[in-house]
Amino acid sequence: GESVGLHLPTLSVQEGDNSIINCAYSNSASDYFIWYKQESGKGPQFIIDIRSNMDKRQGQRVTVLLNKTVKHLSLQIAATQPGDSAVYFCAENTPVGQNFVFGPGTRLSVLP
Amino acid sequence: AAGVIQSPRHLIKEKRETATLKCYPIPRHDTVYWYQQGPGQDPQFLISFYEKMQSDKGSIPDRFSAQQFSDYHSELNMSSLELGDSALYFCASSTHLGTGELFFGEGSRLTVL
């Protein structure tokens, strides 16, 4: 994935508000997508996934939207909590690839 | 539930030395992936194995090699270490080759001095 180095895009939201994190993926052939949450010094943690035959999938407090036309993925977090503060990555997988490609992360900061 | 186990968690080496990182996948997972993550960067895919055979190769330097053993654990061997190799190295495992969720370990932090 394209790296933004030390200057991660940052999204700051008030506790209780909804958060929307966006991701533009690179390969139109990608058919499976995962959102990961990564806290400092820890491994990426699965949040929610979606396959290309769907455009929306909901989990507990999270919703993923997929727009294949513009190769765009978004993660919506409802009622954002302090524990949601982390870096969020989208990852894509293609039918022929045997790995997941990560997009640049977004740092979510939840303000009290 | 058992997770992906990586060792060591922290490793400090000098330039030109070698290092070996180990990964124990979740039981019954047959696929292992290695990723490298520099400070503030997204994880970069290095290499993956399925049923003990290399399945895909990413941006892994020629100085690095890896393998998956009969018990499905994997080792990443890094030689002639450079300062730029300092990073977090993550291992992930899954049940299906490229079609299922990747479960990540907590990572091994390599510091090259």
Side-chain angles (χ1 to χ4, degrees):
Chain A
E2 185 178 331
S3 169
V4 293
L6 295 173
H7 304 289
L8 281 172
T10 299
L11 174 67
S12 297
V13 298
Q14 291 291 141
E15 182 178 353
D17 286 352
N18 297 333
S19 305
I20 299 177
I21 300 171
N22 297 303
C23 175
Y25 62 94
S26 57
N27 193 331
S28 57
S30 294
D31 64 352
Y32 180 53
F33 306 87
I34 301 178
W35 276 102
Y36 281 97
K37 171 187 180 183
Q38 186 176 27
E39 296 174 276
S40 181
K42 293 188 174 182
Q45 179 185 4
F46 173 91
I47 302 174
I48 191 167
D49 61 356
I50 189 168
R51 297 198 179 272
S52 59
N53 60 350
M54 303 173 69
D55 54 20
K56 180 179 180 179
R57 190 153 189 248
Q58 287 184 291
Q60 186 178 11
R61 280 203 308 121
V62 294
T63 300
V64 55
L65 299 177
L66 174 63
N67 185 330
K68 294 182 286 294
T69 303
V70 294
K71 294 190 290 185
H72 183 267
L73 204 62
S74 69
L75 175 70
Q76 300 177 1
I77 304 174
T80 312
Q81 302 169 359
D84 295 327
S85 294
V87 176
Y88 290 80
F89 293 97
C90 67
E92 62 181 295
N93 178 256
T94 63
V96 295
Q98 306 306 321
N99 71 87
F100 283 79
V101 175
F102 280 74
T106 297
R107 184 179 303 281
L108 175 66
S109 294
V110 181
L111 308 173
Chain B
V4 176
I5 305 298
Q6 291 187 246
S7 68
R9 292 295 311 279
H10 302 274
L11 191 59
I12 299 175
K13 290 286 186 178
E14 300 275 343
K15 280 195 306 183
R16 293 179 288 278
E17 285 190 321
T18 61
T20 297
L21 306 181
K22 296 185 179 182
C23 169
Y24 296 86
I26 292 172
R28 291 181 293 281
H29 280 196
D30 52 20
T31 307
V32 168
Y33 305 77
W34 284 99
Y35 283 83
Q36 178 192 58
Q37 186 177 32
Q41 298 188 2
D42 53 286
Q44 294 289 316
F45 171 72
L46 294 179
I47 195 166
S48 62
F49 292 88
Y50 168 60
E51 282 293 342
K52 292 152 281 185
M53 295 185 66
Q54 180 182 307
S55 57
D56 200 8
K57 196 172 182 180
S59 53
I60 184 169
D62 291 340
R63 300 176 288 107
F64 292 11
S65 65
Q67 57 182 323
Q68 185 179 32
F69 295 85
S70 58
D71 64 351
Y72 295 100
H73 94 272
S74 179
E75 294 184 5
L76 177 67
N77 301 294
M78 300 174 284
S79 62
S80 303
L81 287 170
E82 301 173 357
L83 296 178
D85 295 329
S86 296
L88 264 172
Y89 290 83
F90 288 105
C91 173
S93 72
S94 70
T95 54
H96 304 287
L97 185 60
T99 59
E101 175 193 343
L102 265 61
F103 294 82
F104 281 82
E106 291 300 306
S108 294
R109 182 177 294 281
L110 172 65
T111 302
V112 182
L113 303 176

